[in-house]
Each structure stands twice: as structure tokens, then as C-alpha cells.
Amino acid sequence: MKPVGAITRGTTNPNRLRRVDNFVAYRCGDLLKAASVPLVVDLGYGASPVTAVELRARLADTVRADLTVIGLEIDPVRVTAAQPWAAAPRLQFRRGGFELAGLSPVVVRAFNVLRQYPEEGVLEAWRSMTATGAVLVEGTCDELGRIATWAVVERGTPLTLTLSARLPVLEHPAVFAERLPKALIHHNVPGHPVYELLRSLGRAWETEATPFGPRQRWQATVRRMRAEGWPVLDGPARWRLGELTVPWPAEGQTS
């Protein structure tokens, strides 16, 4: 099966995807626990397999020990370079793209991949990666994983958007704008739902300036967003981690 996609830059760093790995365990843990074949695909792990190795270790610790992670890369050189890591239990590396190399995973994580594609290719990539029923967690982050955003996609349809930050270094929610998923980044202009979301989040952050620490300020900001009518999901346990999750900001949607 010919891989679908193109070779991207492939830059990565250890612990870069810790925030989204934590979310995958939370959001998809029950699905993986119930699965007869608990398979997760890490699509486009990059020049180093370190984030796939970390994903496998984190999910094994928090979800189930017999879980398998398969890292897929279009670049055969990267696949070959990753093979020494495949000696670890239930960790493999193969060549593949959006067609997932014919696999049928429960979960797909694709991070910092579609950001390097044109926006018009996003929907088809989502459809390909979820065609067999997988839950897709797709997004982008900064180089050290301090600021991240991601979508949860099922059957080609985005369900939620999550904004996540390492709170001690969060100066203002405006920084999320440059790390939005590819499907949204060009829609962050007046009149579009994601613009209104970020503008409201920024106002709430500015209003909730307190003598307390950034964690308390973020939680107060999220509570204010909910009080103002934004359909904030989850609860304080996730907010304390620096997360805000809302239904996908589709066109025509208001707070």
C-alpha cells in the first residue's frame, strides 16, 4: 500500500507531546481498555522516534500495559533509524501515511503534521485517518510543548477543540492563535467563531488578574468563560492542567 502524504520537517523534542499524551489517556483511556486489540498509531513521529516511545510508556503506565504503539512515517530513512527502539515491548515503526498502512487502530495521534500541509488537504486527511473508526487527536504545539492546541476528530468530523498551556509561562491566551490546528489558523479573523473564542478568552484572562498564581488565574478565567455562556467541557481537574476544551468552533456557531 503506497503511503499517502508528503515528508515534512520532522523536528521534535523529548517531552514535547506530554500535554497531549495526558489528554489521550484521559479522553481515550476507556476505549483502549475495552478494545480487544489496543492499538495506537503515532502518525508522523518525525526525525526522532522519541515522542512515540514516550507515548507508549505513558499509556502503558496510565491505561493498560499490553497496549501497542506503532509509529508511522513516510520517510523510509526515518523508519530505518527508529528500528533500534522497536526492541522495546509493543513498540513498532513502519512506513505509512494518512492511510495508516492498512492498520485499524483505536486511536491516532497526529501532531505537528497537518500544520505543514495546505488547509484544503485537512478534511481528506481527517477522513482517511478515521475511516476505520479510530479516534483522531490532531494538533500542533510549540517547540517545547508549552503551548498546544488539538482537535478530537471522529469519522472525519471535528468534535472538540482543546487549548493547553504550561501555566507558569503563559503570558496571555493570545499565544494560542499561532498554534491553532491547520483547519482553524486561517479563520482567526473577525466574524469567525475561533476569533471570538480567543478574544473572549483574552478578555477573561485580563479580567481575572489576581495576586494568586497562574494556575488560579487560569481556573478563574475558564470559570468566567463558562459563566459568560461558552460551552466549556470537562471540569476543574482538567482546567488545573492548563486545558480549556470546547465544542469545535464551527462556522455559524456562537457562544
Side-chain angles (χ1 to χ4, degrees):
M1 181 177 296
K2 184 178 179 180
V4 177
I7 298 173
T8 56
R9 288 189 299 273
T11 55
T12 190
N13 285 299
N15 281 320
R16 188 183 186 189
L17 302 186
R18 179 182 60 82
R19 309 194 70 80
V20 69
D21 289 354
N22 178 291
F23 179 85
V24 169
Y26 161 72
R27 172 64 171 76
C28 304
D30 287 345
L31 291 174
L32 289 165
K33 289 175 183 176
S36 57
V37 181
L39 173 61
V40 177
V41 162
D42 182 19
L43 181 71
Y45 56 82
S48 165
V50 62
T51 54
V53 175
E54 292 172 344
L55 176 63
R56 159 68 188 141
R58 288 173 181 139
L59 293 182
D61 286 345
T62 59
V63 178
R64 57 187 290 182
D66 63 341
L67 176 143
T68 297
V69 169
I70 297 180
L72 295 182
E73 259 292 344
I74 287 182
D75 186 348
V77 174
R78 294 175 183 172
V79 177
T80 299
Q83 292 311 311
W85 297 91
R90 300 187 179 277
L91 181 62
Q92 302 174 31
F93 297 95
R94 304 182 188 178
R95 191 169 183 231
F98 298 134
E99 83 300 333
L100 304 182
L103 299 168
S104 297
V106 180
V107 179
V108 178
R109 185 191 70 181
F111 239 69
N112 301 306
V113 175
L114 285 176
R115 184 176 179 85
Q116 301 177 57
Y117 282 75
E119 182 183 348
E120 56 268 24
V122 170
L123 183 57
E124 184 56 37
W126 280 353
R127 287 172 175 161
S128 294
M129 289 186 281
T130 59
T132 60
V135 175
L136 169 65
V137 181
E138 186 270 311
T140 187
C141 66
D142 68 1
E143 289 74 12
L144 297 178
R146 297 166 299 184
I147 302 295
T149 74
W150 57 80
V152 172
V153 181
E154 296 184 12
R155 299 292 181 185
T157 300
L159 303 181
T160 59
L161 170 69
T162 298
L163 312 177
S164 178
R166 185 174 183 270
L167 294 176
V169 300
L170 179 64
E171 296 182 359
H172 193 280
V175 298
F176 288 116
E178 62 189 80
R179 298 296 171 181
L180 287 169
K182 188 68 175 192
L184 291 176
I185 196 166
H186 298 304
H187 297 266
N188 185 29
V189 293
H192 289 254
V194 70
Y195 175 87
E196 299 303 326
L197 172 67
L198 293 182
R199 187 175 70 165
S200 295
L201 184 61
R203 285 199 306 258
W205 175 261
E206 293 159 5
T207 301
E208 294 299 336
T210 71
F212 303 107
R215 196 175 306 279
Q216 290 79 12
R217 184 179 184 181
W218 177 259
Q219 291 180 84
T221 296
V222 177
R223 285 195 296 269
R224 177 172 287 274
M225 290 286 286
R226 178 175 277 181
E228 291 178 355
W230 286 95
V232 176
L233 305 176
D234 302 324
R238 303 305 302 178
W239 306 345
R240 283 194 294 270
L241 299 175
E243 284 181 11
L244 169 67
T245 298
V246 295
W248 184 257
E251 297 301 317
Q253 180 188 73
T254 64
S255 63

